[in-house]
Each structure stands twice: as structure tokens, then as C-alpha cells.
Amino acid sequence: MRFGILGETRAWHGDGGEAPLGGPARRALLALLLVRPGEVVSTDRLADEIDPAGVLSAHALQSQVSRLRTALGAGAAIERAGAGYRIVVDPDDVDTSRFERLAGEGRAALADGDAGRAVVLLGEALELWRGPALADLPESETARAAAVRLEERRLGAREDRIEAGLRLGEHRTVVPELRELVGRHPLRERLAGLLMRALFAEGGQAEALMVFEATRRHLADELGADPSAELTALHRELLRADPTPSPAAPPAQLTSFVGRADEVAEVAEVLRVARLVTLLGPGGVGKTRLSVEVAGVGGTEGQVCFVELAPLRDGAGLPHALLRALGLRENGLQMDGGAKGPVDRLVAALSDQVLLLVLDNCEHLADEVAGLAARLLTACPRLRVLATSREPLGIIGEYLHPVRPLDEDTAVRLFTERAGAVRRGFTADPAVVRRICAALDDLLAIGARGNRTADERHRTLRSVVAWSWDLLSEPEQRAARRFTVFAGGATAQSALRVCGTDGETLEALADKSLLEVAGGRYRMLETIRAYGAERLDEAGERESVRRAHAQRLLELVRTADPHLRRAEQLEWLPVVAAEHGDLLAALHWAVAEPAVETAFELLAAAFNYLWIRGASASVAPLAIALLASVGEAAPDGLGEEYATCVLLAGAASATGEAGRQAWQRHRAAAGKALAAAWPGDRSGRYPVVLLLWMMRNAGGPDPQGAFALVSSQRDCPEPWARAAAHYVSGFGHLGRRDPDAAEDAFGQALEGFRTLGDRWGMALALDTLAGTAGARGDRTREVALTDEALVLTERLGALEDSADLLVNRGDHLAGADAAGARTAYANAAALARRAGSSTYLAAALRGLGDIALEEGDLAAAERLYSEALERIDPHWIKSLGPRVRTLIGLGRVATARSHHTEARKHYRQAAEVADTVGARAPEVLRMLGLSEKAVESVLEAVAADR
């Protein structure tokens, strides 16, 4: 018989049937006997602890024992022994004993380094728990003491199991459990350390450091103690770690590398002295595989970033592809473009990095790759580039390494090895294999002659691929040619829909190596894809399949959009990100067709994803082209979509006076369209557009109109829009110098975003609440709120927004902790440089300028302020504070040098900037948290001018 007291008291017969124990008294009696199986428990203690009120008599206890014996039957013996009773059972038949045995074995396995076995044993131990230990004895002192001991062992077993999971790389799955445990046990240092390690492994360095700080405070406040040496050492280790996002690694190879070991060593050696090496050769000769092997050996001492260029349709997407491969966003969560364009962002991000950049399949973009590579190599002295192409890039300093077919013996060995992997025991006449390899080499040689025109490439591909294509059945050929519209591969569901096929056909194409399957997605080799695209054109199916592809992408982003405003946004972001290349391909088709309605709907439905992902700049040229095709008025029924398009077009700077005027007209029309779509008493379709509209237009011709449009949604039935409206209205209260109302509005915004689970909205509201706390002089709360926001932006991968928050942290600390402020500003500058964000780098430099000024280093302060002013985007709302503060800083430097005319000029400029938001400069200056002395200096300068 088996017994359970880890939860409610229960008993099961050998056949699995549960014994009917009866009421609470009988369950309590059995639980007391099972606390220590085989030990005698006196009748007095049994009576007292079953019924502390003293009502249970000796006769009643004996009656309960008798009934319990009947319920258990022959499965267990309850014996009378002296002045008490005992239960005779095998200890391992009681869940407490079994738990302690398994937990002990699991801990021993962990100590021995066998994490896999530890996870299994500890999992079995913890599965025995069904609730609080000895739940049927809430008043028993004996049970209470035993329960405390068991719960402590349970917590230790959970820690051991989590430790084992971390050793097995399961950091992502244990983080939610660790968060809950640390919240319940804030003084338990092992849990804090485990959470710090798990968060760091997931890329959350800032949050891991916040966990340490919270634990340190709890220990100091409640115990008067410092963190242990172990936890402090872990903290130091995380502080030294580099939080830079990891560039895309070279693709993992599933087969051995045959016959080019000397060539790998040769190219790697050349890369130590040459900064651009191009592997040159025809398609299929092995350039890509050679580049991967060279990257693995390491041409430099730094990181490696692999960029696959074959899916790109044209050179316009080249800088964006590099940004994505480097793990960098194109803009911040607040739609900040920062640098003037994606190339500037790349230069800013790579200027100090030691990196080997592998650009694979450059031939169809040779001119664009050459231009970009030349720019990056010139501006980034520690960068090296390894390219693969059928043609030289033609850049000064380029080292060409021709990649030729394998020699005859190596080719035979490679052919035999690969054939043996497909068919066990494969054998063939070596002479026959040599003839096959020679024939393939002849076909490849076709591609080594002539130029890189489409006809030449296609002729080569036909020669190499046609023989295998012709062996396909008609349904297989149809599915394969239709699959070529996918730019980045496809899930099975998408492939079935767009290709109009079935799962059996897809599997057949995979079996015949026309498709590859990895990570739940089907992909097609570029050589096969190019050949299949020709077949798609011949069949006259291109437009219909392109339309089906665009509709599939529209369906996907529409499905994802509401999830990206809720708690599941972190789960849905990678789902949509996997389709990013296909989203761009669908947009290119819809804009070029033009399929105007589809194009507008795709941009609008994908807007939230593009914003959170930091990828809006990649679609800006398409948005500009779409606006040009429809004129300066919103198409009927697509007002919101039109406004979205205008916002996205704004991610790229308009060129020339005509371009700026056209942009202003589009912006005015879009503002009217948004107001009509969101009248206040009903919801539009895209609530995120409202908030971003206000942010992007705060410096425009009608800032108050943009502000009022969002604020009017405070009673909107759409919860995200309602939270955003509270957030925006808080700034209105600040402008009216009503900090209590502002704090209440920001608090309601935070609650709204928190209820939805939107991390970005929460970060935004926490940042503003930190500002109101600082205005009240509550520095402790101000820093704590900023740190909480930092955790959220890091989880979203928003480096530049984290930099923004670190600048705020520095501002919070500047008055009382100059060293802490300097560290925050320096970390912000480092993050902004890695992200290639000029705006947030400028803000960090301004902060460092403030520190230099306070220390009396006027030259350093002036240099830092001047550099900051050069980098600030004057049209972006987030630049308002940095611009005002930087101009005031320059004014203070001039004042310290007794250059009063120059000082008044800077102060006057600060006031003019503050006035651009449509409010009086004094209110804006105070809203930015400036000291009264700084405000007075500005106002005096303005008064002197008047």
C-alpha cells in the first residue's frame, strides 16, 4: 500500500485504487502515525493533536483507530504498543520518505556532475508533492515542525533541480519559476544567484544586476548583513561581462569538411593582414562552405558575423540585412532613427568593434556590396570582410582567392562519403564516380566564364539543376516552383497554403533534397530557387502565387498584432521575426504591382511588430513609394493605414525642399484621418499608431493637435489606447504644474499596460513615474523605478532605449552620487555606440559634460557638450531634453569663462527649443527636471533680449 502526506492525507491500494479514509479526524490520525513510520505515538499526543480542544476521548480515539484499520484492510497494520499506536509500513511506501531519498540521490548526482540524472531524480521527487505537507494537521505542533523541515527540503530540491537545468542549458524554462521563488524568498541568496545566472544566460545582464541589488537591499534592511562572498563574486563576474548582442554566427554544418584544410589555413592567414578577402568562383564550387570553415578558424581575434545575401532582391535592403545579422535594431522603441540612416548606424556600431564580417553570395549585388564594404572598412579600422562572389568586388585593397573544384581523388572521396550517408553500404566503381565528378566540374565551369548577368547565371543554374528537376513528378514540380516566392523559407502551414500542395509532396521534395528542413521550417537552396523561379515564370503563375504569398503574410501579421500588445509579446516576436524577409518580399510586390490596399494593410498590420522589433527603417523606402503612388490624400476606408504609412515613411529623412513639403502635406492629411478613425467614443484598428503619432509629431506644426488626439482616448473602449491616453495626459498635467495629477495619470497608464502585459508600455510609464518621484525628492524610488524599466527594455532587446534609461539614472544620481552618475552615463554611451544611436549617445555625452563641468574641467565639458549638440536630431521629441540641457550646459561653460554674451545666446536658444512644444518655456524647463538656478539663467537671457 502507498501513503501520501505531502498534501492532503491519502492512501492507495496496490492496484491503484484509493482507500476511503473517511473524515478529518481519521485522516489526521493516519498522518500523525506516518510522520515517523514505525515509531510509537502515545494516545495522549494523538488525542491532543487531532483535537486540541480536548473533546476526543480515549474511547473515541480507539474507535477511530478501529475504523482506520478497516479502511486500510490488509495493506497496513496499526498496532497497539504500550501507551500508544504505531503503523507498520515500508518507509519507501510513504511519499515523505520516498521524496527525501530521491532528493538526496538527485543532490548527489548533481555534486558528481551528472546534471541529466539529477534532473530526472529531482523531478520524480518534486512530483510527489500535491500541496502543503501534512495539510490535514494545521494545529498539530508535531506536524508543524515536520512540515517546516519538509518544505525546506522541498525548496532545496527545487534549487538543485534548477541548478541542474542551468547546467543543461535550460535557462529560459527556469526563469519564470525562479522569479516566483525569489519573490517569496527574497533573503535566500542561492535563489538570487540562480536567477542572476539564468537571466544572464538569456541575455538579461541588466536584470541580473538588478536582482543582486534588490537582494543586497533586503539583506541590509532585514538582517543588517552583506551578500555572501559567492553572490558578490557572481555579481563581479556579470559586471565584467559584455552585454553586446551576439552577431549571427556562421551556419552550423551537418557534414564533414573534405579536401580544403590547407586552403582554410591559407585564407585565414591572409585575413590577418588583408582587410578584404573575396572567395571567387562559380556557383556550387564550395565558396560558402569554405567561408564558414575560415570563420570557424578565425581570421581575427574578435567576433564573426555571417550575412546571407542571396535572399535580397536589391541593394536597398543591404544595410538593413547587416543590421539584423549584427543583432542591432534599426530604430528605438520610440521610433528614434538616431543616426541619419542605416549605414550611419552601422558605422557607429562597428567603429570600435573587432569583427570578421562574412558576406555570402554577393554577385547579384556586387556594386552595392562594394560601396558599403568600402565605406565600412574606411570608417571602422578594426573590421575585416570575407566575401564570396562569382565576380570581384573591385575595391582597392581587395585580395582575391579563386576557389577551384576539388582535385580528382578528393572529389571521389567526397562523392562516396555523401552517397554513403544517404544509402548505407554504398559502393561504386571509382572510374564511374570520376566521370560523374568530371561532368559536374564541366557544368560548373560554364559559370566561371562571362559576366554576372542574369542570363549567364540562369544558364549555369539550368545546367547544374535541370537533371534533378526533370525527375520530379508534376505535382512536385508545381510545389517546388511556387515555393520560390518565399524569401526566407516557410513553415509547413505557409508552404501548404501558398504552394497549393499537400504534406506528402513537401516531404517528397525534402527527401529529394529540393527542400531542406530545419527548425520547423522548409528552405530552398538559392541555386535551386533561382532555377525554380524561371519555371514559375514559364508556367505564368508568378502574379497569382505572389498574391497568395502576400495574403498569407497579411494573415500572419494580423494574427500576431494583438498578441504583441499583451504579455505574450516575447513569444510572438520571434514568430513574426522568422518571416521578416518574406514580409519585405510581400511588401515589395504589393508596392510594385501596385496592390495598394494589400500594401497599406500589410504596413499597418505589421506596424506594431516593426516598432517593437526596431525594424521600421527597413520599410521606410517602400512606405515613401506607396505614398507617392496614391497622392496626398488617404484612400477611402484606409485612413489609419495611410497614417501608419506616413509614420513609417518618416523613419527616412525627406530630401530636398519638395520632399519636405510633400511630407508636411501627407502628415496633415494623416492627422485628419487618424482623428476620424479614433473619435473617442469608438476604437480604431491600430491603437499603437496613436501614441507613435504623438511622439513623431510633437515637434511638428501642430503638436497640441497630436497631443490632444491621444489624450482624448482616456475613456476609449480599447484598453491599450486607454493606457496610452493616460500616459500622454500625464504630460499635460506636468505642463500645468500639477505633479500629483501627473503621477496619478502615469500610474493609471502603468496599471493599464501591466494588466495587458505590454513590457514596452510599462517601461515608458515607469520612466515617467521615476521622473515624478524625483521631482518630489524621492531619489530612492526614482532610481528603483528606472531600474525596473531597464529590466523591461533589455528583455525587449532595445539597447538604445536602455541607454536612454541609463542617462535618466545618471541624472537621478548626479546630485548625490557623482561616481554613480558617471558610471551610468558611460554605460549609456557604450550601449548607444553599440546600437549606432546618435540621439542617445548625445544624451550620454551631455551627462558626462555635466559631470566635467561640476568638477571644473571647462575644456572637457565644452568638448562633450559640443559633440552632443552635433549628434542630436532636432526633430525628435526625445531630443527635446538633451538639446535644452546641452545648450544650458554650454551657457554655464560660457558664464564660468565670463563670456556673458555667448552665455545669453545659448540660454536663449534653450528657451526657444523649450517653446517648440507649444507650452511656456518655464514650465517645460521645470518639467525636464532642471534646477531653479538653470531656469532662472534661461529666463534672464530671454528677458535681456526683450
Side-chain angles (χ1 to χ4, degrees):
M1 198 167 196
R2 293 184 299 108
F3 299 90
I5 55 175
L6 296 177
E8 292 183 352
T9 307
R10 300 175 69 179
W12 299 270
H13 296 294
D15 61 2
E18 187 168 356
L21 298 178
R26 216 166 303 153
R27 291 177 182 275
L29 169 62
L30 178 58
L32 282 169
L33 295 172
L34 290 171
V35 169
R36 292 185 180 88
E39 292 188 10
V40 176
V41 184
S42 70
T43 55
D44 288 343
R45 193 183 345 151
L46 287 172
D48 289 344
E49 299 206 31
I50 292 172
D51 182 13
V55 176
L56 188 66
S57 65
H59 176 74
L61 176 62
Q62 184 178 4
S63 175
Q64 292 292 349
V65 170
S66 176
R67 293 177 182 176
L68 184 57
R69 285 172 174 153
T70 302
L72 298 179
I78 300 177
E79 299 178 344
R80 179 78 187 214
Y85 295 92
R86 69 181 176 193
I87 187 168
V88 182
V89 296
D90 185 334
D92 210 47
D93 287 337
V94 183
D95 59 1
T96 51
S97 300
R98 194 158 64 257
F99 161 73
E100 296 198 78
R101 175 179 62 77
L102 289 167
E105 292 174 0
R107 173 163 290 189
L110 185 61
D112 291 340
D114 191 347
R117 184 165 182 268
V119 165
V120 173
L121 291 168
L122 292 162
E124 290 179 9
L126 292 167
E127 285 175 0
L128 295 170
W129 286 76
R130 297 168 287 102
L134 296 156
D136 288 308
L137 288 166
E139 305 298 327
S140 165
E141 291 184 9
T142 300
R144 193 155 43 240
V148 169
R149 181 183 64 82
L150 287 165
E151 291 288 353
E152 176 64 22
R153 289 297 307 274
R154 180 189 191 184
L155 184 55
R158 291 180 74 176
E159 290 174 331
D160 289 340
R161 189 202 61 202
I162 291 168
E163 172 82 39
L166 287 177
R167 293 187 189 181
L168 295 173
E170 298 172 356
H171 51 272
R172 186 161 298 172
T173 61
V174 301
V175 165
E177 180 182 10
L178 278 169
R179 289 188 202 279
E180 184 262 335
L181 287 172
V182 169
R184 285 168 46 196
H185 306 281
L187 301 176
R188 198 167 178 104
E189 291 187 72
R190 188 184 181 196
L191 282 174
L194 289 170
L195 179 56
M196 289 166 65
R197 287 166 52 195
L199 290 169
F200 181 77
E202 198 177 6
Q205 184 196 37
E207 187 172 3
L209 297 176
M210 294 307 114
V211 171
F212 175 83
E213 181 61 25
T215 304
R216 185 196 64 75
R217 285 200 302 265
H218 281 300
L219 289 169
D221 294 345
E222 300 187 30
L223 301 179
D226 293 325
S228 65
E230 293 81 4
L231 195 65
T232 302
L234 176 60
H235 178 242
R236 284 197 300 267
E237 180 183 341
L238 299 189
L239 279 173
R240 291 193 298 267
D242 185 359
T244 306
S246 299
Q253 301 302 305
L254 303 178
T255 57
S256 61
F257 187 59
V258 175
R260 296 192 190 270
D262 292 342
E263 204 168 359
V264 169
E266 178 187 345
V267 176
E269 186 58 35
V270 170
L271 271 170
R272 299 184 196 282
V273 292
R275 297 185 57 215
L276 171 62
V277 176
T278 300
L279 303 181
L280 202 64
V285 78
K287 302 187 298 298
T288 296
R289 183 62 186 270
L290 179 58
S291 73
V292 170
E293 297 299 326
V294 171
V297 170
T300 73
E301 69 273 20
Q303 290 184 302
V304 176
C305 178
F306 190 93
V307 190
E308 170 57 70
L309 301 181
L312 294 184
R313 296 278 197 259
D314 55 56
L318 180 61
H320 305 287
L322 265 65
L323 284 171
R324 288 194 296 275
L326 286 162
L328 298 177
R329 301 163 64 89
E330 295 163 2
N331 48 263
L333 286 170
Q334 303 183 52
M335 291 288 281
D336 167 35
K340 293 180 180 178
V343 176
D344 298 283
R345 183 169 282 249
L346 281 169
V347 169
L350 297 178
S351 57
D352 295 322
Q353 281 201 45
V354 180
L355 181 78
L356 174 62
L357 185 64
V358 182
L359 304 177
D360 189 38
N361 290 313
C362 299
E363 54 275 347
H364 64 304
L365 303 173
D367 292 338
E368 293 88 348
V369 172
L372 181 57
R375 169 79 185 277
L376 293 178
L377 288 168
T378 301
C380 309
R382 307 173 78 186
L383 176 70
R384 283 176 167 77
V385 175
L386 176 62
T388 74
S389 180
R390 298 176 194 170
E391 293 262 332
L393 298 182
I395 304 174
I396 294 175
E398 179 183 21
Y399 181 94
L400 298 177
H401 179 91
V403 181
R404 295 185 170 86
L406 297 171
D407 63 70
E408 187 176 87
D409 290 340
T410 304
V412 170
R413 180 158 62 93
L414 177 62
F415 185 98
T416 304
E417 180 183 300
R418 297 296 190 265
V422 176
R423 179 173 297 176
R424 187 181 299 276
F426 169 83
T427 58
D429 183 345
V432 174
V433 175
R434 284 189 176 88
R435 288 200 299 272
I436 293 172
C437 293
L440 288 172
D441 285 346
D442 290 342
L443 290 174
L444 289 173
I446 297 173
R449 300 189 296 270
N451 57 32
R452 62 173 180 260
T453 64
D455 286 344
E456 285 293 333
R457 290 203 313 275
H458 291 174
R459 187 175 67 188
T460 304
L461 291 169
R462 278 194 297 272
S463 300
V464 175
V465 179
W467 67 272
S468 59
W469 186 277
D470 291 340
L471 296 175
L472 299 177
S473 68
E474 198 283 326
E476 290 169 349
Q477 289 185 0
R478 182 170 59 248
R481 67 179 180 250
R482 292 177 177 177
F483 191 90
T484 62
V485 300
F486 289 104
T491 63
Q493 184 179 9
S494 292
L496 293 173
R497 291 276 298 278
V498 174
C499 299
T501 188
D502 53 46
E504 185 177 345
T505 301
L506 286 181
E507 291 303 315
L509 290 173
D511 289 342
K512 296 174 181 178
S513 301
L514 273 294
L515 293 178
E516 295 178 331
V517 186
R521 295 179 68 83
Y522 289 89
R523 299 182 185 278
M524 182 174 275
L525 291 176
E526 188 60 24
T527 50
I528 299 171
R529 184 167 172 260
Y531 183 86
E534 290 186 346
R535 307 283 76 74
L536 186 68
D537 285 336
E538 287 179 359
E541 295 177 337
R542 176 168 295 277
E543 291 309 312
S544 61
V545 179
R546 282 280 178 207
R547 190 175 301 279
H549 176 258
Q551 288 300 317
R552 173 59 184 161
L553 267 295
L554 178 57
E555 176 187 304
L556 188 145
V557 290
R558 275 179 173 166
T559 301
D561 179 49
H563 296 288
L564 294 175
R565 298 194 299 274
R566 300 200 290 257
E568 58 269 27
Q569 61 188 185
L570 292 184
E571 288 74 33
W572 275 86
L573 271 173
V575 172
V576 187
E579 310 292 343
H580 187 86
D582 281 276
L583 175 62
L584 293 180
L587 281 167
H588 272 284
W589 170 82
V591 172
E593 177 64 10
V596 171
E597 184 175 348
T598 299
F600 273 117
E601 290 177 342
L602 271 171
L603 285 173
F607 179 74
N608 198 14
Y609 155 73
L610 293 166
W611 168 36
I612 298 176
R613 179 81 173 176
S616 57
S618 63
V619 302
L622 294 169
I624 292 170
L626 183 58
L627 290 176
S629 71
V630 299
E632 296 165 3
D636 290 343
L638 296 173
E640 277 187 272
E641 289 81 355
Y642 173 79
T644 304
C645 190
V646 172
L647 271 180
L648 290 169
S653 301
T655 56
E657 185 59 31
R660 283 189 290 273
Q661 290 179 2
W663 161 248
Q664 294 294 347
R665 291 192 293 272
H666 280 301
R667 181 160 61 179
K672 293 177 182 177
L674 264 186
W678 290 85
D681 58 346
R682 67 177 186 273
S683 302
R685 294 184 295 277
Y686 306 104
V688 177
V689 178
L690 282 172
L691 183 55
L692 269 295
W693 184 261
M694 189 278 291
M695 289 182 169
R696 285 302 299 174
N697 290 281
D702 184 21
Q704 290 303 308
F707 185 92
L709 172 61
V710 185
S711 298
S712 68
Q713 305 300 317
R714 279 172 292 183
D715 297 321
C716 174
E718 210 292 322
W720 200 98
R722 198 162 58 243
H726 284 299
Y727 171 75
V728 170
S729 65
F731 290 100
H733 294 306
L734 285 178
R736 291 187 290 273
R737 304 188 70 176
D738 189 349
D740 292 337
E743 188 165 24
D744 179 67
F746 293 141
Q748 290 187 63
L750 176 61
E751 185 59 32
F753 289 130
R754 200 189 296 280
T755 299
L756 291 167
D758 179 12
R759 294 162 182 82
W760 180 83
M762 290 163 59
L764 211 62
L766 285 163
D767 186 25
T768 51
L769 281 171
T772 58
R776 292 199 317 272
D778 189 347
R779 297 296 179 192
T780 301
R781 176 169 166 77
E782 184 178 33
V783 172
L785 289 167
T786 301
D787 288 347
E788 188 178 349
L790 264 169
V791 169
L792 295 168
T793 57
E794 186 171 77
R795 294 190 71 194
L796 288 167
L799 284 184
E800 53 271 73
D801 296 276
S802 295
D804 182 30
L805 288 166
L806 281 168
V807 170
N808 294 347
R809 194 178 203 275
D811 291 343
H812 304 333
L813 295 172
D817 182 4
R822 180 186 283 105
T823 299
Y825 293 138
N827 289 340
L831 282 181
R833 283 192 175 96
R834 289 173 188 143
S837 172
S838 293
T839 293
Y840 295 123
L841 177 56
L845 293 172
R846 185 276 308 162
L848 290 170
D850 289 348
I851 298 293
L853 182 59
E854 291 301 322
E855 293 176 345
D857 190 343
L858 299 182
E862 183 177 35
R863 174 178 55 79
L864 289 162
Y865 287 140
S866 298
E867 186 179 350
L869 202 59
E870 289 174 0
R871 295 175 178 273
I872 291 174
D873 175 5
H875 303 294
W876 174 236
I877 187 173
K878 290 296 293 185
S879 299
L880 174 66
R883 283 183 74 203
V884 170
R885 289 171 179 269
T886 301
L887 288 165
I888 289 175
L890 286 168
R892 291 176 64 198
V893 170
T895 299
R897 291 173 169 164
S898 298
H899 298 164
H900 299 297
T901 301
E902 183 180 352
R904 283 197 301 273
K905 180 191 74 173
H906 291 309
Y907 291 143
R908 185 176 64 254
Q909 289 173 333
E912 290 170 353
V913 172
D915 277 331
T916 60
V917 298
R920 293 176 59 239
E923 282 73 12
V924 176
L925 295 170
R926 292 187 177 94
M927 186 175 74
L928 292 172
L930 295 168
S931 67
E932 283 301 317
K933 182 178 180 181
V935 175
E936 289 172 7
S937 298
V938 173
L939 298 182
E940 287 173 4
V942 174
D945 274 358
R946 290 171 180 166

